[in-house]
Amino acid sequence: MLFENPINLNLKDADVVYYPNFFSRDIADSFFASLLNQINWKQDKITVYGKTHLQPRLTAFYANNSSAYKYSTIIMHPNAFSGDLLKTKNAIETRLNINFTSCLANLYRDGLDSNGWHADDEKELGKNPIIASVSFGAERLFHFKHKLDKTQKTKLILQHGSLLLMQGGTQTYWQHQIPKTRKTIGKRINLTFRIIA
Ligand SMILES: O=C(O)CCC(=O)C(=O)O
Ligand SMILES: [Fe+2]
């Protein structure tokens, strides 16, 4: 593991820290390859304004308890942590000294897969959720915008092996998204570790 120079994004009303090289290149390469196969990827349907669509990415939910995760119209029931997902969880927990119960995993198959503007502010995450978001594979842009102060927005590239730690008021005051890109790019895995009672 590397854990080099964390960067505080210094966002108003939020607490966001980016660790560009949280995992070494070798470990990131190896976890990326294994997690593509080890994770129970599915494409869920989502209903927006009464219309049902397939989500523009694959997802899976893992937890060390039986609590389901509900967001939008989707209810996800947990798989058990194992393999390199468990190794990733252990590495983060040791470094951050925070224990997570759950992980929502995302697989962006190419540049047309995406994750629209949202905040992870579901009730079951509690007040001021702590979310540790790991990226493996293709680099993608991550956008932030303040919910109230329209002058406040920023973007960063989430690198292979990086960790983005969001806490404090981040989910209360900001939204984030992974926009689509027309560039020809490969797959990206994102693992968002969360605490769900
Ligand atoms: O893919 C990412 O980096 C973000 C994923 C995300 O925002 C989420 O799962 O809530
Ligand atoms: Fe999110």
Side-chain angles (χ1 to χ4, degrees), residues 45-156:
K45 293 193 185 82
I46 185 160
T47 305
V48 186
Y49 302 120
K51 267 194 87 179
T52 302
H53 313 263
L54 285 171
Q55 273 195 316
R57 63 187 179 282
L58 308 189
T59 58
F61 183 59
Y62 287 78
N64 58 16
N65 56 29
S66 57
S67 306
Y69 187 46
K70 295 182 224 95
Y71 70 95
S72 188
T73 57
I74 297 177
I75 301 178
M76 301 190 85
H77 295 283
N79 301 282
F81 284 108
S82 67
D84 286 346
L85 184 59
L86 182 57
K87 284 192 195 158
T88 305
K89 178 174 178 286
N90 289 339
I92 290 168
E93 289 181 333
T94 303
R95 167 71 164 99
L96 300 178
N97 204 15
I98 300 169
N99 288 320
F100 296 95
T101 61
S102 313
C103 178
L104 177 61
N106 296 294
L107 174 59
Y108 302 86
R109 294 161 294 181
D110 58 27
L112 296 178
D113 272 358
S114 60
N115 199 332
W117 284 116
H118 69 280
D120 296 290
D121 54 1
E122 288 78 23
K123 261 208 293 299
E124 54 264 54
L125 296 171
K127 196 177 140 65
N128 296 336
I130 303 177
I131 300 180
S133 176
V134 175
S135 295
F136 293 127
E139 293 183 342
R140 295 291 297 255
L141 263 178
F142 190 84
H143 291 179
F144 276 111
K145 68 174 181 192
H146 197 283
K147 291 183 191 175
L148 308 172
D149 182 346
K150 302 301 178 200
T151 68
Q152 298 296 309
K153 55 183 180 215
T154 194
K155 52 190 162 187
L156 69 158

